[in-house]
Amino acid sequence: MSPNPTVKIKYHSLAPIGDSSMKKKKKVLFLIVILVVFIWILGIFSRSSESDLELGEDSLRAMLIQTQEELRISRQQMLHYEQMLTSSCVDQINAYHGNDQVPTIYVITPTYARPVQKAELTRLSHTFMLVPKLHWIIVEDATNKTELVANLLKESNINHTHLHALTPDQYKLKKKDGHWKKPRGVQQRNAALDWLRLFRSSDNDKGIVYFADDDNSYSLKLFSEMRRVKRVGVWPVGLVGGLKVEKSLVNAQGKVIGFNSMWAPQRPFPIDMAGFAINLDLINRNENVKFSFDVDRGYQESAILSKVVTSLSQLEPLADNCTKVYVWHTRTIDPTFAYEAVLKKKHMAPSDLGMEV
Ligand code: UDP
Ligand code: MN
């Protein structure tokens, strides 16, 4: 039996035709798939970049809102500070400077070297910097004026006089003494009063004299009040004499009729040093207006006030008829430096080596 060539040929010729069309179809299918995948990927990309953009816009908008809010708060704070300054200081400075009728406030501060001195004087100077027409007479209880105080005064830019007057040894507080044991600030306040008598005259200089210890706390309002003193002004002092506030008692007519003091109430003027100011004129006209080491404990204020007023009715009650507290007799504790000794024991440098604290 011979094989049928036609069939054979037919068979062989048909097979390649079917193969190539399949391949074409596959190719087309493949291209379509590729195209679909490409379009799909393109879609994803365009969508994701859109959402990226949306996300970017959202966070930008949030940042903008946040910044706007911060700016609004800053603006409010600035306005607040401006108002504070305008009411407490700038207006007064503008009105006061160059106005001879406005008295200068001479603040007399005795001070002595100790670890907290720079902190106390910094606090004090930052209050005084805000008071117009203030002249700070700072008197160091020392044999010399120190760099520390001189630099502090220079930096503060406050009108000032820098003096020194050493407390005589027999009156100097010793380490073991209670702080009440001996009078403090006597020599220094007197040195300042002497300076005023030498360099200020009653005829040309209007002034108010105030004794401001370096450790008390002072409101700016106190200085506005004392600027009005004619002879001797008085006001309450917080945190003193075993009371929350020591104050003059004032009657309905606005006259001082007594005091609320509990400690040594028999004193003629049981008022703390921070609770009064005296017109410069009275000091300049009377050499005897000064402090003394020979007065009983707690009588310094009474001794000096007795020289400038003869009756309670001459006292001018300030701070809303002695109903407001604008000064506090704060006391700063002496810090201990236990670990400085440890450093020394270990032959290490003290913590403040080369620094002013
Ligand atoms: N003062 C001074 N030398 C001293 C002790 C105190 O110059 O040895 C100053 C002190 O710096 C302050 C004033 O005198 O300005 C009153 O002293 P302190 O504050 O200790 O008195 P207190 O608070 O007990 O009334
Ligand atoms: Mn004090």
Side-chain angles (χ1 to χ4, degrees):
M1 252 190 42
S2 63
N4 185 344
T6 323
V7 172
K8 210 176 185 177
I9 290 165
K10 234 183 181 175
Y11 177 77
H12 279 287
S13 68
L14 272 175
I17 293 169
D19 247 12
S20 75
S21 84
M22 273 293 272
K23 269 187 185 163
K24 262 188 194 159
K25 270 186 192 164
K26 270 187 185 170
K27 241 185 203 169
V28 169
L29 204 72
F30 179 71
L31 277 175
I32 289 172
V33 168
I34 292 280
L35 204 72
V36 167
V37 169
F38 181 71
I39 291 170
W40 179 66
I41 288 173
L42 210 72
I44 287 179
F45 268 111
S46 72
R47 225 177 302 136
S48 77
S49 68
E50 248 174 46
S51 67
D52 269 1
L53 202 68
E54 271 171 29
L55 202 76
E57 266 178 30
D58 276 355
S59 55
L60 270 177
R61 202 169 295 129
M63 268 167 61
L64 200 70
I65 290 167
Q66 169 81 10
T67 313
Q68 276 175 340
E69 180 61 10
E70 280 169 13
L71 276 172
R72 192 186 62 77
I73 292 168
S74 306
R75 206 176 116 77
Q76 258 183 0
Q77 277 175 343
M78 272 171 59
L79 282 172
H80 174 68
Y81 290 139
E82 196 181 318
Q83 272 171 1
M84 261 173 59
L85 278 171
T86 307
S87 59
S88 71
C89 174
V90 174
D91 266 3
Q92 288 187 37
I93 290 173
N94 290 342
Y96 287 4
H97 281 295
N99 182 349
D100 290 345
Q101 294 312 301
V102 175
T104 300
I105 293 173
Y106 292 95
V107 177
I108 296 175
T109 302
T111 188
Y112 69 111
R114 61 205 190 278
V116 299
Q117 186 185 30
K118 189 173 182 183
E120 305 277 37
L121 294 179
T122 300
R123 197 153 57 100
L124 210 56
S125 68
H126 288 190
T127 302
F128 296 164
M129 278 157 82
L130 295 170
V131 182
K133 267 199 125 174
L134 180 145
H135 186 123
W136 195 8
I137 308 179
I138 188 158
V139 193
E140 292 196 64
D141 185 354
T143 39
N144 293 299
K145 294 192 264 183
T146 63
E147 284 280 310
L148 186 148
V149 175
N151 287 338
L152 194 131
L153 285 167
K154 205 165 107 195
E155 271 180 31
S156 77
N157 224 7
I158 298 171
N159 228 331
H160 66 264
T161 298
H162 184 186
L163 306 172
H164 70 101
L166 186 68
T167 301
D169 200 44
Q170 71 266 36
Y171 297 114
K172 191 84 190 158
L173 271 177
K174 300 289 179 295
K175 270 238 162 77
K176 56 181 176 9
D177 291 342
H179 68 95
W180 62 88
K181 259 277 177 67
K182 297 197 175 114
R184 297 161 299 283
V186 169
Q187 197 82 0
Q188 296 73 35
R189 295 188 191 107
N190 283 345
L193 293 174
D194 288 344
W195 183 92
L196 282 170
R197 291 191 183 99
L198 256 175
F199 295 102
R200 293 293 181 270
S201 79
S202 290
D203 298 334
N204 299 325
D205 303 296
K206 280 183 174 298
I208 312 292
V209 178
Y210 180 56
F211 303 103
D213 289 353
D214 62 1
D215 55 346
N216 295 339
S217 308
Y218 306 89
S219 161
L220 293 181
K221 290 178 185 161
L222 180 70
F223 301 94
S224 307
E225 289 294 314
M226 73 172 77
R227 190 105 48 192
R228 296 158 43 199
V229 167
K230 301 280 177 294
R231 287 179 73 82
V232 177
V234 290
W235 47 80
V237 179
L239 321 176
V240 73
L243 294 175
K244 287 184 185 168
V245 54
E246 262 191 1
K247 59 192 171 191
S248 301
L249 304 171
V250 181
N251 70 10
Q253 286 71 47
K255 292 281 176 204
V256 175
I257 51 164
F259 305 93
N260 78 333
S261 318
M262 299 291 282
W263 185 78
Q266 71 282 3
R267 291 175 290 167
F269 297 99
I271 304 175
D272 185 78
M273 199 66 76
F276 64 91
I278 303 173
N279 196 301
L280 175 68
D281 193 42
L282 294 179
I283 286 165
N284 272 343
R285 290 183 192 283
N286 189 346
E287 287 277 326
N288 292 323
V289 181
K290 61 179 174 205
F291 295 91
S292 162
F293 287 109
D294 298 324
V295 299
D296 288 343
R297 179 159 82 89
Y299 276 72
Q300 288 293 344
E301 294 88 347
S302 287
I304 197 161
L305 284 169
S306 304
K307 299 199 177 114
V308 284
V309 284
T310 48
S311 73
L312 295 194
S313 64
Q314 286 176 323
L315 296 175
E316 298 148 41
L318 294 166
D320 278 352
N321 273 335
C322 294
T323 62
K324 297 278 180 356
V325 178
Y326 295 147
V327 56
W328 296 263
H329 186 261
T330 43
R331 306 196 77 242
T332 307
I333 55 157
D334 265 338
T336 54
F337 303 114
Y339 286 104
E340 295 293 345
V342 175
L343 290 178
K344 200 171 175 183
K345 225 176 183 173
K346 291 185 171 180
H347 303 291
M348 290 166 75
S351 66
D352 62 339
L353 185 72
M355 291 171 83
E356 188 181 80
V357 183

